[in-house]
Amino acid sequence: QVQLVESGGGVVQPGGSLRLSCTASGFTFRTSGIHWVRQAPGKGLEWVAVISYDGSKKYYADSVKGRFTISRDNSKSTLYLQMNSLRGDDTAVYHCAKGNSYLDSWGQGTLVTVSS
Amino acid sequence: EVVMTQSPATLSVSPGERVTLSCRASQSVGSNLAWYQQNPGQAPRLLIYDVSTRATGVPVRFSGSGSGTDFTLTISSLQSEDFAVYYCQHYNNWPPITFGQGTRLEIK
């Protein structure tokens, strides 16, 4: 079955950096678009970024544009999110989710806490 | 950016009842609308896509309808496992995709 497992979360100071990973299995990773969606504590879902199946197209939410970079390694079935210049409002659980438009499978998420 | 508004924010209902959740888009999204269910501490789960198509394994008591700007998710007879938060999401002319703020179903 489809599995998406995020890792790399933790506590980071404002202005710091973190790289998240999402390891996929159970489907053909290299043919799937993949998104990052985050959820602040007690809040709703916020789309963050998407990358096309081959990595040629990348799109970002305005709130993270210029600070976050999405990438993928199809040889490792792994998605990444490089997060720089982190702020307090970036504190959230970050989920990776498979799909080109609607999101048909989600990972459990990894918690990122930005705090001094 | 399309703003998705869900109502109500919280709905108190009894098991076995029929319930309808609403989602309104700030502009037409055609039929590019999905619904998700999220239980506490768990990842969201896709329920419905393209307004009314149930995802794999979703029980028939879940149904979706609407078009353009107004959409509904109906649960015909609430089961205990249905008490969760529900989100709508559009994917028309994206990015960005946007989600509604969610409707929480709680046990009356």
Side-chain angles (χ1 to χ4, degrees):
Chain A
Q1 75 278 21
V2 174
Q3 275 204 311
L4 296 162
V5 180
E6 302 90 341
S7 60
V11 180
V12 61
Q13 292 189 337
S17 297
L18 212 54
R19 188 176 85 152
L20 306 183
S21 299
C22 168
T23 302
S25 61
F27 66 101
T28 308
F29 183 78
R30 66 179 183 275
T31 64
S32 296
I34 309 283
H35 300 247
W36 286 101
V37 177
R38 67 184 180 183
Q39 188 167 31
K43 302 297 184 183
L45 302 170
E46 179 189 14
W47 176 77
V48 173
V50 62
I51 187 167
S52 61
Y53 70 98
D54 60 356
S56 63
K57 297 178 183 176
K58 306 174 185 181
Y59 301 101
Y60 301 90
D62 287 346
S63 58
V64 307
K65 203 172 293 183
R67 300 187 299 122
F68 290 12
T69 302
I70 190 171
S71 62
R72 66 191 295 161
D73 185 338
N74 285 347
S75 68
K76 297 181 179 178
S77 295
T78 302
L79 173 76
Y80 302 100
L81 186 68
Q82 177 67 43
M83 303 186 297
N84 299 331
S85 303
L86 282 161
R87 313 185 303 219
D89 59 358
D90 294 319
T91 294
V93 172
Y94 285 74
H95 299 274
C96 58
K98 164 182 164 292
N100 291 313
S101 50
Y102 55 86
L103 307 176
D104 57 37
S105 297
W106 296 62
Q108 285 286 89
T110 186
L111 176 61
V112 172
T113 302
V114 183
S115 174
S116 55
Chain B
E1 176 178 312
V2 179
V3 177
M4 308 299 291
T5 303
Q6 293 185 241
S7 60
T10 304
L11 201 50
S12 297
V13 291
S14 301
E17 285 188 9
R18 176 187 179 93
V19 65
T20 298
L21 285 61
S22 295
C23 174
R24 176 165 289 178
S26 60
Q27 62 191 77
S28 177
V29 298
S31 297
N32 300 303
L33 192 284
W35 290 92
Y36 301 86
Q37 176 193 63
Q38 187 177 33
N39 284 296
Q42 295 191 17
R45 169 198 179 196
L46 176 67
L47 292 177
I48 301 279
Y49 61 93
D50 294 347
V51 175
S52 60
T53 303
R54 278 186 299 276
T56 304
V58 174
V60 297
R61 64 180 181 272
F62 291 91
S63 63
S65 64
S67 67
T69 61
D70 291 298
F71 304 91
T72 59
L73 174 70
T74 300
I75 310 172
S76 60
S77 178
L78 276 166
Q79 306 298 302
S80 58
E81 61 268 29
D82 300 337
F83 290 93
V85 180
Y86 293 83
Y87 295 95
C88 62
Q89 174 232 326
H90 92 85
Y91 44 95
N92 188 62
N93 290 333
W94 64 281
I97 60 175
T98 52
F99 295 89
Q101 80 279 20
T103 291
R104 180 182 305 276
L105 285 187
E106 60 178 32
I107 301 176
K108 183 185 286 184

